[in-house]
Structure formats: C-alpha cells, structure tokens
Amino acid sequence: MEKFLQFLSPLKLPAEILLGMIFTVTMFLSFIPQAFLSKLALSNFVKEHQFYISLLLIISISYYLVQILKNIFLWGKNKYNMYSLRKINIENLEKLASKTKLIVHDLYKNGNTGYLAINEPDTGLLEALHIICRASNLSVGATTFGYFLQPWVVEYLNQNQEKFLDGIK
C-alpha cells in the first residue's frame, strides 16, 4: 500500500480525477473474471489486497453518491430560486404605476422594442427592476436609447395582457 501511495504522490492530481481513477481501477479489479486476472498476473495481488481494494471502491462510490445528491440539491435549489425570483418580478411588474405600465405596454405593442429617454425616471425604474434592458449603447439624439422588454415580461404579457392593463386610465 505504501508503494501505491508513493506512486500517486508525485502526480498531484485533483481529488475528482484521482477518485475517478481509483473507482475505475477498483471496479476493474473487483469485477473482472478470475481467468482474466490470471492472464494479467494480477490474481495474487488482488487476493493479497482485496480488503484495500474493496475499501477504496466503497469510498469512491460514496463520494460519487454524495456528488450526485449535491448536484440534485443544487438543481432543486436553483429551480426554487428562479421560481421565487420570477414571482417577485411579476409582483413588481403588477405594482407599477399607470404611466410606467403604459410605457411597458407601448414597448410590447411595438414588437417588444422601442426608444426611451435614459434620463426619465420611469426608464431607470424599469431597467432597475429588470423589466427592460438597453438594446444598444448608441443613442438617438443625446439621451434616447433603444430598449427591449425582457423575455419573461413578454411571456407574462402574452398570457395576462388584460389583467396587466386593468386600472390604467
């Protein structure tokens, strides 16, 4: 075992690659037919070190199971965070003032794009709430820039246009 560890020490591989190599080798040594091990002259090695091979196999399998569970948890957490963020964004969109809602609706009617003055407070608010995004850094005039609606806003307005326009005078 010491010779094995001395062999691996100069490699200085990342833990994931090292565990992948250990997993592959231990799976090979544990589940290969005995006749094939005899041809490779590894049967005595496997008999002498079966405990260590099995231990390394269990450790590497445990590591990969933990990694799989961690990735599933992170995926679920990301889905929940995106759902929560979308819910907050929709609430912010519905709470806009009538004038700001009209700006959003005008952009929606004009193919989801349009020109807005950057020095207008409504433009700054919509950009801060991630409802619109600047399409270009080139201005028309001194302060008018191209903007487009975010895809989630267009999706929401496609489904809830009447609800969005309720209460606008």
Side-chain angles (χ1 to χ4, degrees):
M1 190 68 178
E2 291 177 23
K3 290 180 183 178
F4 180 70
L5 293 176
Q6 288 174 353
F7 170 73
L8 291 178
S9 63
L11 294 178
K12 296 187 181 175
L13 293 172
E16 293 84 15
I17 294 174
L18 189 60
L19 279 169
M21 289 172 44
I22 290 172
F23 176 73
T24 304
V25 169
T26 54
M27 285 291 285
F28 177 76
L29 292 176
S30 296
F31 297 110
I32 197 81
Q34 189 65 31
F36 192 68
L37 281 175
S38 299
K39 289 180 183 178
L40 294 175
L42 289 175
S43 58
N44 289 335
F45 175 80
V46 171
K47 286 179 185 175
E48 290 176 15
H49 298 95
Q50 185 62 48
F51 175 75
Y52 298 115
I53 292 170
S54 300
L55 186 63
L56 287 173
L57 181 63
I58 291 170
I59 290 171
S60 60
I61 288 174
S62 301
Y63 172 78
Y64 283 120
L65 286 176
V66 167
Q67 289 299 315
I68 289 170
L69 291 175
K70 181 185 89 169
N71 288 336
I72 290 171
F73 172 75
L74 290 175
W75 176 79
K77 183 180 173 188
N78 184 37
K79 285 291 190 185
Y80 176 75
N81 287 343
M82 292 303 289
Y83 170 77
S84 299
L85 182 63
R86 177 67 54 94
K87 189 175 176 183
I88 291 169
N89 285 341
I90 289 173
E91 288 174 5
N92 288 335
L93 182 65
E94 291 173 347
K95 290 179 185 176
L96 291 175
S98 296
K99 179 184 172 191
T100 313
K101 281 187 176 182
L102 284 175
I103 293 171
V104 171
H105 189 259
D106 287 344
L107 286 173
Y108 178 70
K109 285 193 310 187
N110 294 331
N112 307 327
T113 61
Y115 291 97
L116 300 173
I118 197 168
N119 57 357
E120 287 287 325
D122 293 330
T123 304
L125 174 67
L126 291 172
E127 199 169 1
L129 292 175
H130 303 289
I131 295 172
I132 62 173
C133 187
R134 195 177 317 164
S136 173
N137 286 330
L138 299 174
S139 67
V140 176
T143 61
T144 305
F145 289 88
Y147 285 91
F148 63 89
L149 288 175
Q150 293 285 358
W152 68 267
V153 178
V154 175
E155 186 179 302
Y156 175 79
L157 289 176
N158 284 339
Q159 297 171 356
N160 304 308
Q161 189 172 3
E162 293 82 23
K163 180 182 174 186
F164 180 72
L165 293 175
D166 283 347
I168 293 179
K169 298 171 184 169

